[in-house]
Amino acid sequence: MRFVIVNWYAKIVSVVRWDDCFSSQFITRSGVRQGSVLSPVLFNLYVDRLIESLEASDLGCHFHGVYVGCLLYADDIILMSASVVNLQKMLDICYTNGCVLDIQFNAKKSLLFLVGKSYSRLTDGLMLGGDNISWCEKNEIPGHYI
């Protein structure tokens, strides 16, 4: 079975389409097949190390004794912490694991927001690698209302 999967993914060829123009074929050397039933499973196995590292750190939130400091859906990750200091430590864990796993987190596509009594209080910026992450008001999260 392993041979079949390795062989299948070793032969991914892609073409870029822009309007009515098509590029030459090229070999895709990383990633998973878009739309494949197997792709989410392989991605989950791939990022499991990141989840395990976050859970082992014991930083982040717990609900009835269950770690919920990171929630994942497809390639989106939500980190939750009761402490801004611990959230920065969680971001550092993500960055470190991302370097090992060859995952690039984009600070420009990331947002921070506070919930609770002090949600409107200004807080020092947090970093993802060497990049600042922007704070937003809780009702300014694109596509969501919390």
Side-chain angles (χ1 to χ4, degrees):
M1 181 65 167
R2 180 176 179 252
F3 174 76
V4 172
I5 294 171
V6 169
N7 192 39
W8 186 40
Y9 274 88
K11 296 179 180 177
I12 299 175
V13 178
S14 301
V15 174
V16 176
R17 176 180 168 205
W18 187 354
D19 290 330
D20 293 330
C21 297
F22 294 88
S23 72
S24 301
Q25 292 183 351
F26 58 93
I27 296 171
T28 306
R29 301 200 186 278
S30 65
V32 293
R33 292 179 179 264
Q34 296 297 309
S36 168
V37 179
L38 189 56
S39 294
V41 174
L42 292 174
F43 182 76
N44 287 341
L45 291 171
Y46 185 67
V47 299
D48 198 44
R49 175 186 171 143
L50 171 63
I51 298 166
E52 288 173 353
S53 295
L54 287 165
E55 190 170 7
S57 75
D58 205 32
L59 302 167
C61 296
H62 295 78
F63 184 72
H64 292 289
V66 176
Y67 181 76
V68 292
C70 70
L71 303 174
L72 284 86
Y73 180 78
D75 62 349
D76 293 325
I77 301 174
I78 297 173
L79 299 178
M80 294 185 292
S81 174
S83 159
V84 175
V85 172
N86 284 351
L87 182 58
Q88 180 60 64
K89 291 176 184 177
M90 293 171 73
L91 288 166
D92 294 341
I93 290 169
C94 287
Y95 181 76
T96 301
N97 277 271
C99 291
V100 171
L101 297 170
D102 199 23
I103 297 174
Q104 294 181 353
F105 293 101
N106 189 340
K108 291 182 177 119
K109 290 185 176 181
S110 302
L111 294 172
L112 299 165
F113 69 97
L114 291 170
V115 178
K117 296 177 195 174
S118 61
Y119 78 88
S120 61
R121 189 182 72 192
L122 291 177
T123 307
D124 291 340
L126 300 182
M127 304 284 287
L128 185 55
D131 300 319
N132 284 312
I133 303 176
S134 299
W135 286 97
C136 69
E137 294 293 326
K138 67 178 179 178
N139 59 355
E140 293 179 355
I141 300 169
H144 304 285
Y145 182 78
I146 296 177

